Amino acid sequence: QVQLVESGGGSVQAGGSLRLSCAASGYTASSYCMAWFRQAPGKEREGVASINRIGNTVYADSVKGRFTISQDYAKRTLYLQMNSLKPEDTAMYYCAARDCADWSLLDLGHSRYWGQGTQVTVSS
């Protein structure tokens, strides 16, 4: 069984920063490409950022220039550095292990495993 556990969420004021982490266990992390998704109350889940096995990245237009996705294979951990946070970034953030064939696509497909989510709240 694969387990993905997010942490690092919290409540911050607009303009602040948070660093989310996703710890993986139960599988070979290099077999998948990792991504972050988010879902606000009453809205559909959307892709935020994705990274492939050699460190190439893609971002949703709404977070480009503010968020940075990275990974540490030795620690089996995925990160999302979130700077210049806006109230519209408020959501539950989920990490996902995905098929690498479509690593650059930020749609909901091709995600094999999901974490439980960590809440991010940004106040104005």
Side-chain angles (χ1 to χ4, degrees):
Q1 183 177 354
V2 173
Q3 297 89 38
L4 301 174
V5 181
E6 301 95 335
S7 62
S11 181
V12 299
Q13 293 186 354
S17 298
L18 285 173
R19 184 178 176 85
L20 306 184
S21 298
C22 173
S25 64
Y27 76 108
T28 302
S30 61
S31 297
Y32 302 95
C33 291
M34 305 297 293
W36 288 97
F37 293 79
R38 67 185 182 185
Q39 186 169 23
K43 299 186 182 298
E44 296 182 352
R45 191 170 299 187
E46 62 178 350
V48 175
S50 184
I51 187 168
N52 72 2
R53 288 169 291 188
I54 60 173
N56 294 321
T57 58
V58 294
Y59 298 91
D61 288 341
S62 59
V63 307
K64 194 173 299 181
R66 300 187 296 120
F67 291 9
T68 302
I69 187 172
S70 61
Q71 60 195 347
D72 187 327
Y73 280 115
K75 297 180 179 179
R76 305 188 71 179
T77 302
L78 177 74
Y79 302 99
L80 184 67
Q81 179 65 48
M82 309 164 66
N83 298 326
S84 302
L85 283 162
K86 304 175 181 179
E88 51 263 46
D89 295 318
T90 295
M92 185 72 75
Y93 283 71
Y94 301 88
C95 67
R98 313 174 78 226
D99 291 336
C100 288
D102 297 305
W103 76 271
S104 64
L105 302 178
L106 290 175
D107 60 356
L108 290 175
H110 314 291
S111 294
R112 301 294 182 89
Y113 305 100
W114 295 88
Q116 85 290 343
T118 185
Q119 179 66 42
V120 172
T121 302
V122 184
S123 60
S124 60

